[in-house]
Amino acid sequence: MVEARTVVITGATRGLGRAMAEKFAALGHRVIGCGRSAGAIAELAAACRGNHRFDTVDVAEDAAVAAWARAAIAEFGAPDLLLNNAAIINPVQPLWQIPAAGFDALVDINIKGVANVIRHFLPAMLERQRGVCVNFSSGWGRSVAPYCASKWAIEGLTKALAAELPATMAAVALNPGIIDTDMLQACFGAAAAHYPTAESWAEAAVPFLLKLGAADNGKSLTVPGH
């Protein structure tokens, strides 16, 4: 029988986040997910029936993340897996053509949003001295400068966080690979269809994530086969 884990997933309503949420739920794990669209959250909740929690939260808003974490931890306890998946990308343009507001919005979600989630969920994990924090990076963020900058930042943030954790815990930077999602389509257009779907990716990614442990602390990993 599967030992049920409690898994937090940001950006759970689309792409890889949605595929992971459904796969973890199908395997009998408890999912705590968030997204910015109330309608998409309602759809996700309907698709993942069971003992889960899905909330409308913008990870860029620290106060909203704090309230979400308090409520989720009160209901389910500290997570076993904390998956910082939420991210956005700017239109494919040279750096000097991307407005400051667009750059700011990306940094607020892709970097500060990750820090906000860690700030409010990690203390409960530290109290138990166990759990794995996975921050999603990217191996192909080289075509849009702000996105590329944010993913390099995640690699460095994760390495530093790993050095601060006790030996029983782990922080991992994860390159998911090249997957056919809305974000990839924004960069690759029709060519995105040549890559695996989010659902097929999750078939391999979720078991891989469930196997991560303290021995993986500080590593930069890629989902096998992707």
Side-chain angles (χ1 to χ4, degrees):
M1 184 174 181
V2 175
E3 178 187 353
R5 309 273 191 88
T6 299
V7 184
V8 171
I9 306 173
T10 66
T13 58
R14 298 173 61 187
L16 304 187
R18 174 69 181 260
M20 287 190 294
E22 293 188 354
K23 183 61 178 178
F24 276 115
L27 291 175
H29 301 288
R30 295 175 292 270
V31 179
I32 300 168
C34 77
R36 294 189 294 171
S37 165
I41 283 291
E43 290 178 9
L44 179 59
C48 298
R49 296 189 180 278
N51 192 28
H52 310 293
R53 181 187 179 101
F54 300 107
D55 294 278
T56 306
V57 180
D58 183 346
V59 296
E61 300 293 336
D62 183 65
V65 174
W68 174 49
R70 282 195 302 270
I73 292 168
E75 183 175 356
F76 290 108
D80 299 293
L81 265 177
L82 180 60
L83 306 181
N84 275 303
N85 163 74
I88 62 171
I89 194 167
N90 296 127
V92 180
Q93 294 175 315
L95 175 60
W96 58 89
Q97 293 180 4
I98 296 173
F103 200 130
D104 289 349
L106 182 142
V107 168
D108 284 347
I109 291 174
N110 293 16
I111 304 175
K112 293 165 65 176
V114 171
N116 290 341
V117 172
I118 291 170
R119 182 179 301 115
H120 297 297
F121 277 99
L122 195 65
M125 299 166 71
L126 285 166
E127 285 185 10
R128 297 193 314 168
Q129 296 282 292
R130 72 181 192 190
V132 177
C133 175
V134 179
N135 300 322
F136 277 59
S137 181
S138 175
W140 63 269
R142 297 173 180 169
S143 57
V144 186
Y147 183 78
C148 179
S150 74
K151 293 308 181 181
W152 278 74
I154 289 303
E155 290 282 340
L157 180 151
T158 305
K159 295 287 187 185
L161 175 62
E164 298 169 344
L165 293 177
T168 53
M169 296 178 66
V172 172
L174 183 75
N175 168 21
I178 305 178
I179 316 301
D180 183 8
T181 62
D182 291 345
M183 187 179 290
L184 189 70
Q185 291 164 21
C187 287
F188 285 18
H194 297 300
Y195 295 94
T197 65
E199 291 74 22
S200 64
W201 172 86
E203 290 295 321
V206 166
F208 175 73
L209 290 166
L210 287 168
K211 292 178 182 177
L212 295 178
D216 300 300
N217 190 36
K219 293 181 180 179
S220 292
L221 301 175
T222 300
V223 174
H226 294 84

